[in-house]
Amino acid sequence: MRGLIFFLLLVVTSAVVKAQTRPNIILFFVDDMGWVDTSVPFGDSMVVVNKRYHTPNMQRLASEGIKFTNAYATPVCTPTRISLLTGINAAHHGVTNWTSPVKDRSTDVADDEMAPASWLVNGLSSIKGTAKTIFANTYPQLLKQAGYFTVHVGKAHWGSMGTPGSNPYNLGFMVNIAGHAAGHPQSYLAKDNFGNITGKAVAQAVPDLEEYFGSDTFLTEALTLEAIKALEAPINNKQPFYLNMAHYAIHTPIQGDKRYVQKYIDAGLDSIEANYASLIEGMDKSLGDLMNYLKEKGIEKNTVILFMSDNGGLSLVPPRGGVAHTHNLPLKSGKGSVYEGGIRVPMIVKWPGVVKANTRSDQYIIVEDFFPSILEIAGLKNYNIVQQVDGKSFVSQLKNPGYKNSSRSLVWHFPNKWQPNDGPGINYKSAIRQGDWKLIYNMRDGSKELYNLQLDVGELQNLASVERKKVDALAILLSHQLRQWKAVMPSFKTTGKIVPLPDRVQ
Ligand code: CA
């Protein structure tokens, strides 16, 4: 009898030990945060914009992990968020622009010359056959099946209202706090009930946070408190968890987080930019609170934290203060653009015992890489999914930061009109990066631009006229990929013809 009990104890103990060896995973996902919107330099040194902001907890995370200096998202929200969850490139999944909360509605702005591409305006779906959606499996579904406790907190924006993808419960999450079809909060302020005021509420009124209504709690803080509450159950049950900490910050409306605004006013920023800086610092405080909580619960060493943004910093004036398209300098342009300012974002990974502290990787990677990477971190292999994954795991890069792969190519595809006026790199563009070279294709006039990012991160010197062979080679590579993925293109109103792929234009 005693032997049997001892045997059972051994079995139980080893099961618990096994469960605990699977790491908890937190994706700390910020909305619209630019590459320089932090006091952590992602370039070789601090630049002017870095010095504006205070993100001590990002500094702490970077000092305990690895920062990626060449991490990419897509130019706007929904395409990035779907690539993240499914591992599919935006040109391939077909949700190339942000989705409206209203079903079947394209968010493309009307244009005199171009007729819109037939992109999938309803976003991601967990049910095959849902109109105007991409049907795919998500990694939270796979983590949940494997025994992870999956939590979503904050901005979702994966699908339009009335479609399955609008609800995070349909995408593999067991808890959803404040995520729905909208892409920004109606208000960050609890005194406005985050927008939930009778007669004034619109589709962007933030759901689920009633207990904070009327209080002084900023949205970023409320989401952090709720995330911590949601983690108590899996921690107590010793169940591994995945937390999708998807802040609404720092997307518009640029409202001040009054805990931090005054110091930025005192530092000389205008009121809009001081509010923007306060949104950043509030987000950073959330990161610090979560890191402290992990430590307090004794699970810091078994929790992986990935920090990422969903597109570059907004650089339109207004709603930003200052001079348009300067907010991401030395990178060119901002959100909505295929120039680096629109797509290159801050990324950090902390994985105690695996990632060496205070390291950096200059390898270029892209948001769809998170799908295979997170599954590999969780120890999942041989999963069955309906889609073909375009992302590549960056786990080996985490272990070997100096490794360089210059042959891989990354593709961006934005056959849409995001803003009424074409800003730098904004509206109707495709781009490809291979090694240090980047080619941009302008759908409206067929022109091509070529930059060497190693020598010219600001994309100031277009080398297309001197490096003709490079232009042709990258145009062929980009076209081949877009053809393979059946990427949608706009058409010309006057002729009715579809915009040709870049290898068909001289
Ligand atoms: Ca965004």
Side-chain angles (χ1 to χ4, degrees), residues 12-200:
V12 169
T13 313
S14 63
V16 169
V17 168
K18 195 179 172 200
Q20 287 176 332
T21 57
R22 290 194 293 175
N24 307 305
I25 302 169
I26 296 178
L27 174 63
F28 195 93
F29 199 51
V30 186
D31 197 6
D32 285 11
M33 183 181 179
W35 193 64
V36 289
D37 284 343
T38 164
S39 49
V40 175
F42 283 84
D44 289 332
S45 57
M46 292 283 275
V47 295
V48 173
V49 188
N50 291 132
K51 291 175 187 164
R52 244 179 240 169
Y53 303 120
H54 299 277
T55 58
N57 295 297
M58 282 184 73
Q59 287 171 232
R60 173 178 160 200
L61 188 68
S63 75
E64 295 172 3
I66 181 170
K67 66 178 179 184
F68 282 79
T69 61
N70 283 253
Y72 289 101
T74 81
V76 297
C77 309
T78 312
T80 287
R81 286 161 190 264
I82 294 178
S83 293
L84 167 79
L85 235 52
T86 65
I88 314 172
N89 183 276
H92 191 189
H93 65 56
V95 187
T96 54
N97 202 354
W98 64 281
T99 50
S100 167
V102 182
K103 196 174 153 181
D104 297 332
R105 181 181 291 178
S106 170
T107 54
D108 283 24
V109 177
D111 188 81
D112 290 342
E113 299 171 333
M114 316 286 277
S118 54
W119 63 283
L120 299 175
V121 301
N122 288 333
L124 173 62
S125 181
S126 53
I127 297 174
K128 196 175 179 179
T130 310
K132 297 171 190 168
T133 63
I134 171 74
F135 165 59
N137 299 119
T138 68
Y139 69 80
Q141 284 170 336
L142 298 169
L143 292 176
K144 181 180 158 187
Q145 284 163 15
Y148 269 77
F149 189 86
T150 53
V151 178
H152 172 81
V153 180
K155 171 168 160 173
H157 206 193
W158 284 296
S160 301
M161 274 192 286
T163 70
S166 63
N167 187 345
Y169 287 116
N170 295 327
L171 301 175
F173 293 102
M174 296 158 73
V175 173
N176 167 38
I177 297 159
H180 61 156
H184 66 84
Q186 188 173 339
S187 172
Y188 282 97
L189 306 178
K191 73 170 172 53
D192 295 339
N193 299 351
F194 309 114
N196 297 279
I197 295 171
T198 312
K200 290 186 179 168

Side-chain angles (χ1 to χ4, degrees), residues 265-277:
I265 298 271
D266 294 344
L269 294 186
D270 67 39
S271 61
I272 296 173
E273 291 302 292
N275 285 350
Y276 187 82

